[in-house]
Amino acid sequence: MQASVNQELFDRFTALTFDDVVVVPGYSEVLPADVDTSVTLARNIRLQIPVLSAAMDRVTESRMAVALAREGGMGVIHRNLDPADQAAEVRRVKRSQSGMITDPVTVGTDATVGEADALMARFRFSGVPVVQPDGHLIGIITNRDIRFMEPGDERRSVREFMTVDGLITAPTGTTLEQAKALLRRHRIEKLPLVDATGKLTGLITVKDLAKHRDHPLASVDSHGRLRVAGAIGVGPEVEKRVDALV
């Protein structure tokens, strides 16, 4: 009986696969540059391509979200993670590309070279600013400063290795074009922004400017950071998860 029902179902419909269909190319006067594939999501979030990746643990974490946002779409970080771990994935996306980094990762004056090196490896940075407890910028430590460390140097203070003399900074409010000119003139990769009292307020990097040039259609927020979404679901930890993601 079951076999006859199945046979009836198969005989009733025509099924096609990709190999059964051929789209014949035709003449068109529409140029690729004239095509607009952008879409608007809730709250006026605009994507250049209508592609969002699934919130699945085998599909979307920070690497997928970064790649998709650079092409104009957006990734949704899955929630099969602790709230803190999911928020860390979102943070990696946000820090992977910025117009201006408004809350740069820093190290304190009491940090060791080993701690600074581990921080740079964690976020894949080539250098981080060194600040006093009150936020005043006193230097910057980069991979170049610690390239020739000797055994045991990882326990020494960043003060002994950081760049202080000739440190180039710019005032808060410097535009990306102005920053680009300063970076090119002084042949540096990172430009810290400071206020009138010397407190660090932001950071502009050559790498971020190059990413904006290479990915002009990237989905970015009002601060120039890549867009990313996070799944929250339902359940007792939903508020904790939302707070962590925000």
Side-chain angles (χ1 to χ4, degrees):
M1 177 64 180
Q2 185 65 39
S4 63
V5 171
N6 289 342
Q7 188 63 45
E8 181 183 348
L9 289 174
F10 279 114
D11 292 341
R12 188 184 305 173
F13 303 103
T14 299
L16 298 176
T17 70
F18 288 107
D19 292 334
D20 296 322
V21 180
V22 176
V23 178
V24 180
Y27 176 78
S28 173
E29 295 184 350
V30 178
L31 299 176
D34 299 330
V35 177
D36 182 3
T37 60
S38 61
V39 295
T40 301
L41 304 180
R43 296 190 179 182
N44 298 322
I45 295 175
R46 193 160 189 81
L47 303 181
Q48 295 300 322
I49 58 174
V51 179
L52 287 88
S53 62
M56 299 169 61
D57 54 11
R58 298 297 181 92
V59 177
T60 311
E61 290 186 352
S62 55
R63 290 182 63 187
M64 168 62 87
V66 168
L68 193 51
R70 284 178 178 167
E71 299 305 322
M74 188 164 66
V76 186
I77 305 295
H78 67 86
R79 64 185 181 90
N80 294 335
L81 294 164
D82 291 333
D85 292 336
Q86 187 186 21
E89 289 294 304
V90 169
R91 188 176 296 111
R92 289 189 184 97
V93 179
K94 286 297 183 182
R95 290 191 181 281
S96 67
Q97 179 175 325
S98 303
M100 182 193 76
I101 305 171
T102 56
D103 57 342
V105 173
T106 63
V107 294
T109 53
D110 58 346
T112 65
V113 173
E115 291 170 339
D117 189 32
L119 193 64
M120 288 188 282
R122 175 185 171 191
F123 288 106
R124 298 181 181 179
F125 291 161
S126 61
V128 291
V130 182
V131 297
Q132 295 176 332
D134 60 2
H136 278 81
L137 178 71
I138 62 170
I140 188 169
I141 185 164
T142 68
N143 289 333
R144 188 164 38 188
D145 296 321
I146 59 178
R147 184 173 298 164
F148 301 107
M149 284 194 307
E150 298 289 340
D153 283 349
E154 67 274 3
R155 295 189 294 272
R156 295 168 64 182
S157 170
V158 294
R159 284 178 176 272
E160 301 178 55
F161 290 83
M162 67 183 184
T163 298
V164 177
D165 297 333
L167 180 64
I168 304 299
T169 64
T172 302
T174 297
T175 67
L176 293 182
E177 287 301 317
Q178 292 170 333
K180 189 186 301 183
L182 284 171
L183 291 165
R184 183 170 55 245
R185 182 189 314 156
H186 297 285
R187 298 182 181 180
I188 55 177
E189 296 183 355
K190 298 182 182 297
L191 181 66
L193 304 182
V194 295
D195 64 15
T197 67
K199 286 187 177 181
L200 181 69
T201 59
L203 185 70
I204 297 175
T205 73
V206 160
K207 187 178 294 185
D208 283 323
L209 293 177
K211 289 174 182 175
H212 279 277
R213 179 198 63 208
D214 296 339
H215 303 281
L217 299 180
S219 297
V220 296
D221 61 21
S222 59
H223 298 290
R225 302 171 301 188
L226 294 180
R227 288 197 180 279
V228 58
I232 57 174
V234 297
E237 69 171 12
V238 64
E239 291 187 6
K240 178 180 179 181
R241 189 175 294 277
V242 169
D243 289 342
L245 291 172
V246 172

